[in-house]
Amino acid sequence: MTAQAIIQSLASGLLMGLLYGLIAVGLALIFGLMDVTNFAHGEFLMIAMYLSFFLFAFFAIDPLLSAPLVAAALFIFGAVIYLLIVRFAMRAKANAGMVQIFTTFGLAIVMRGLAQYFFTPDYRSITQSWLGGKTISIAGIFLPQPQLVGALVSIAAFAGLYFFIHRTDFGRAIEATREDPGAVALVGIDKNRVFAFGWGLGAALVGLAGAIMASFFYIYPDVGASFALIAYVTVALGGFGSVFGAFAGGIIVGLVEATTALVLPPALKSVGIYAVYLLVVFIRPRGLFGSI
């Protein structure tokens, strides 16, 4: 095993880790805002990938160009899901946590079933995208262009999210609602409006990730399941409710996954991720950057 091979593997892991972070940030945002885990998060990713695929198939819009459209569509979708489904689940008088869990879990099953019915279980891919199959070489290290652009988009999206939360009035309203949902009503903040916006924003972030991933990953009804599992581990690793923790956790997961693949068969690369997660749980149950 040469130094170049190690650097190559870590570089690939870093690029994927940034995408994992982008997927997980939306999940962490919703949990931090409402204490609700969206078990349909992976299906949101799947819908985004299919939407990007069909925009390319029917309108020849490259995934790179369709990414903002897909993010906007997922924003609306996420807000509607909150207003039509999650809002009522949160009103449960008894076992509210279990009601919310089974509501989003049931939503995931319905979305996956509808995708299998309408889109069939067949694997699809976008083979003629602008970035598909292209790489660039930096000091002998080859970086796939789709993953590289996806990593740059992830960094830009996280920077934009950080600016929005900390530098805008609505972002401050989100933070205030997150701290004390009951008290914000006293100053005229509509809690349901903030929650709907938070769900929309979380869905838009995973939609952005899905549009980028559609250019280099197979698209099928169950595609979201594996990435959702990684997203849950990433959020728990970084700290529940911590947006920065989710993004940093994604990078750690990507690097650990790549390192594990160097010493174990590629099929066992997830072993390292869960081993590190269990280690963090034993040492710091709240996660690396969590405060709860």
Side-chain angles (χ1 to χ4, degrees):
M1 187 181 300
T2 65
Q4 185 174 4
I6 295 173
I7 296 173
Q8 176 71 65
S9 181
L10 292 177
S12 299
L14 176 62
L15 296 184
M16 282 305 301
L18 287 166
L19 277 171
Y20 291 156
L22 182 59
I23 296 171
V25 160
L27 188 64
L29 179 67
I30 292 172
F31 182 88
L33 181 62
M34 303 168 55
D35 283 340
V36 173
T37 301
N38 179 18
F39 284 95
H41 196 69
E43 281 60 43
F44 281 34
L45 178 73
M46 176 265 293
I47 291 296
M49 294 178 74
Y50 269 112
L51 185 55
S52 185
F53 172 80
F54 287 121
L55 284 173
F56 178 82
F58 293 113
F59 302 104
I61 303 176
D62 190 86
L64 197 60
L65 293 180
S66 68
L69 300 176
V70 173
L74 264 291
F75 178 91
I76 296 172
F77 181 72
V80 169
I81 288 295
Y82 169 76
L83 292 172
L84 296 183
I85 299 176
V86 180
R87 177 164 59 114
F88 298 100
M90 293 180 65
R91 295 178 181 175
K93 300 299 182 182
N95 297 321
M98 294 302 295
V99 171
Q100 295 161 14
I101 288 173
F102 283 108
T103 296
T104 57
F105 186 73
L107 176 63
I109 294 175
V110 170
M111 291 175 63
R112 200 180 306 174
L114 289 175
Q116 290 179 347
Y117 179 79
F118 287 108
F119 306 145
T120 75
D122 295 340
Y123 282 56
R124 304 170 189 264
S125 63
I126 298 175
T127 57
Q128 302 295 326
S129 66
W130 291 348
L131 302 175
K134 298 179 181 178
T135 61
I136 63 172
S137 176
I138 302 176
I141 304 301
F142 294 94
L143 304 177
Q145 288 190 18
Q147 286 93 322
L148 179 60
V149 171
L152 295 175
V153 169
S154 299
I155 294 171
F158 178 74
L161 178 65
Y162 183 87
F163 177 85
F164 174 78
I165 292 177
H166 295 282
R167 295 291 186 270
T168 68
D169 291 339
F170 205 93
R172 295 186 184 97
I174 289 178
E175 284 292 287
T177 307
R178 177 178 176 176
E179 292 293 330
D180 194 336
V184 294
L186 300 176
V187 295
I189 296 176
D190 186 344
K191 181 176 67 174
N192 278 320
R193 183 186 174 199
V194 173
F195 285 167
F197 189 90
W199 266 78
L201 188 56
L205 291 168
V206 76
L208 193 61
I212 297 298
M213 290 177 60
S215 64
F216 66 89
F217 205 86
Y218 285 111
I219 305 163
Y220 55 99
D222 291 334
V223 66
S226 57
F227 288 105
L229 188 58
I230 291 176
Y232 300 142
V233 171
T234 298
V235 171
L237 180 66
F240 283 104
S242 172
V243 171
F244 173 78
F247 195 73
I251 296 174
I252 294 171
V253 165
L255 292 174
V256 169
E257 183 181 58
T259 303
T260 305
L262 285 174
V263 297
L264 295 177
L268 299 177
K269 63 182 180 181
S270 295
V271 171
I273 297 174
Y274 299 113
V276 170
Y277 167 64
L278 289 174
L279 179 63
V280 171
V281 167
F282 284 127
I283 297 174
R284 187 178 170 85
R286 71 184 65 178
L288 296 175
F289 303 96
S291 58
I292 60 174

